[in-house]
Amino acid sequence: MSHGNTSGASLLKQPKAVWAVAFACVVAFMGIGLVDPILPAIAAELKASPTETEFLFTSYLVITGLAMFFTSWVSSRIGAKKTLLIGLAVIVVFAAAAGLSGDVGTIIGFRAGWGLGNALFISTALATIVGAASGGTSSAIILYEAALGLGLAIGPLAGGLLGSVSWRGPFFGTAVLMAIGFVAIVTLLKTSPDDEKPARTPLSAPFRALARPALAILAATAVFYNFGFFVLLAYTPFALVPLGISSAISLGLVFFGWGVAVAVSSVWLAPLLTSRMRRTRVIWTILPILAVDMVAIALLIHSAVGIIIGVVVGGLLLGIMNTVLTESVMEATDLPRSVASSAYSGVRFLGGAVAPPVASLLAANIAEPAPFVAGAIAFLVAVVIVVLGQRRLGAIDIEEAPVVEAQAIGLGDAA
């Protein structure tokens, strides 16, 4: 992916509407890691087991994944601006409700509602930025990638800072920021004629897309890849607590490092590798290294420094895989990119939803390192799926124009 033709000046000279959506994107992506630093605090204060607490991730991811199959159908009927606003409003309501909750079961339910709002918003945001940005598609994609990276990095840090006051803080903080985003989009984003009468997408389109062999192979790969991803993100706070890293702010700093690593590698390292190697080769290379990283964390389970280094290294590797897998999905078929992205994203979020409670159960019933060993196995299964399906994946290694490639990455990240 090449962004070399876009100057910094043109990137920053954007209409106010673009900055409004970009700001809301940062906050939306913050929501993924926001609860990470407060999981132990919620478990302690609400007298919940680690497994119960991990369902804060699972309910969010299950509903996000299921809703992803239907968001293109919704936005193609009511338009992008209304879809964005409904998504933001849903997040505001459910994030605030989670902060007011008195037991972990209620929070799990409200996190599910939050996932619905997030699916509606993030699946529509990129198309909106591309439509409103000045400086061409490439500028819009860079801006979107920057918002994605900022959100992943700031989420855990904000969760740690607000969570050091109260575990309720991150929920209320998200509600306030999303309300600001809502007002900004209402006032600054004008409705275009295309948005008034969008082309309608059939309800069945994402499901039919999964019948394509190449997309089915990549979706199956993503199920196991995302299992490993969310073992690292969602279970690690509980592994660090016995080692003295239990405060919301210290956990927030650890995962801020993780988020920065994901952002840097997805924006810079992934394009560097794909400019020198075929995408399938990058996948074959990075997934086994991720498995080794997870085994290293398992072996260093009693070393806080060892786990933290493993988490940050994992972030670098995960960032590369996020971008390369998404590029691959966009190039695997001749389907409209929004449809391919919707189908793939729905499946991958569901794969991630399984990981947090399973990881906690493995640790409780087998041994502390077991979740990380399971994550390593999942990464290796993902490699096997890609290797066995290689003949169906020829299209993902064909080079294409940089702007088209960048568009593919951004659309995939949007969902």
Side-chain angles (χ1 to χ4, degrees):
M1 173 177 66
S2 168
H3 297 312
N5 327 352
T6 307
S7 70
S10 65
L11 175 64
L12 295 175
K13 289 181 181 174
Q14 298 292 348
K16 290 177 182 175
V18 172
W19 290 115
V21 179
F23 166 76
C25 280
V26 172
V27 183
F29 287 115
M30 281 170 61
I32 294 174
L34 194 79
V35 300
D36 219 35
I38 56 171
L39 290 175
I42 290 174
E45 195 149 332
L46 299 182
K47 298 179 174 54
S49 70
T51 303
E52 288 176 313
T53 312
E54 292 286 27
F55 274 100
L56 289 173
F57 272 103
T58 297
S59 63
Y60 174 84
L61 292 169
V62 164
I63 300 303
T64 298
L66 291 174
M68 282 290 183
F69 288 110
F70 305 102
T71 49
S72 58
W73 180 84
V74 172
S75 64
S76 72
R77 278 154 178 78
I78 66 172
K81 182 174 180 178
K82 287 178 184 172
T83 307
L84 288 173
L85 292 175
I86 291 169
L88 288 172
V90 169
I91 295 171
V92 170
V93 170
F94 283 100
L100 293 168
S101 301
D103 64 89
V104 75
T106 307
I107 302 174
I108 289 167
F110 288 137
R111 275 284 282 180
W114 185 339
L116 172 63
N118 220 42
L120 288 167
F121 176 79
I122 64 175
S123 64
T124 313
L126 179 84
T128 306
I129 287 178
V130 169
S134 61
T137 301
S138 187
S139 286
I141 298 301
I142 296 172
L143 196 62
Y144 182 82
E145 287 175 345
L148 171 67
L150 271 175
L152 283 177
I154 295 170
L157 188 62
L161 290 168
L162 294 169
S164 63
V165 179
S166 164
W167 66 262
R168 300 177 190 273
F171 296 119
F172 292 134
T174 298
V176 170
L177 288 171
M178 279 303 199
I180 294 169
F182 183 95
V183 172
I185 288 173
V186 166
T187 54
L188 299 175
L189 182 63
K190 292 180 172 57
T191 305
S192 68
D194 289 341
D195 201 41
E196 292 286 1
K197 293 183 179 178
R200 294 193 168 195
T201 300
L203 191 62
S204 60
F207 300 101
R208 290 205 313 271
L210 289 172
R212 301 285 187 97
L215 194 60
I217 289 163
L218 291 170
T221 302
V223 168
F224 289 95
Y225 166 71
N226 261 37
F227 180 93
F229 183 106
F230 278 98
V231 166
L232 189 68
L233 177 62
Y235 178 71
T236 306
F238 287 106
L240 288 168
V241 167
L243 304 175
I245 300 179
S246 57
S247 72
I249 188 63
S250 58
L251 288 169
L253 287 168
V254 169
F255 283 93
F256 173 70
W258 172 86
V260 169
V262 170
V264 167
S265 61
S266 61
V267 175
W268 286 292
L269 292 185
L272 192 66
L273 286 173
T274 52
S275 69
R276 289 162 173 76
M277 299 163 65
R278 288 178 294 130
R279 291 189 186 108
T280 48
R281 183 65 55 83
V282 176
I283 293 170
W284 296 349
T285 303
I286 299 299
L287 281 172
I289 299 173
L290 267 167
V292 170
D293 183 59
M294 295 293 267
V295 170
I297 295 174
L299 293 172
L300 297 168
I301 197 70
H302 299 300
S303 164
V305 173
I307 292 175
I308 291 168
I309 291 171
V311 166
V312 175
V313 169
L316 287 170
L317 298 167
L318 293 168
I320 294 168
M321 279 301 303
N322 281 354
T323 295
V324 176
L325 265 180
T326 303
E327 284 182 352
S328 299
V329 168
M330 296 302 112
E331 300 311 316
T333 69
D334 57 358
L335 290 165
R337 296 183 189 280
S338 60
V339 172
S341 176
S342 177
Y344 165 76
S345 295
V347 173
R348 73 171 178 169
F349 273 110
L350 293 175
V354 175
V358 168
S360 183
L361 287 169
L362 288 171
N365 295 296
I366 299 177
E368 288 176 88
F372 299 104
V373 174
I377 293 169
F379 287 136
L380 293 175
V381 171
V383 178
V384 171
I385 292 170
V386 173
V387 171
L388 292 178
Q390 183 192 0
R391 282 191 299 175
R392 300 282 193 169
L393 298 176
I396 75 174
D397 289 324
I398 297 171
E399 291 300 318
E400 65 166 349
V403 169
V404 179
E405 184 179 312
Q407 215 170 354
I409 298 165
L411 281 168
D413 283 338

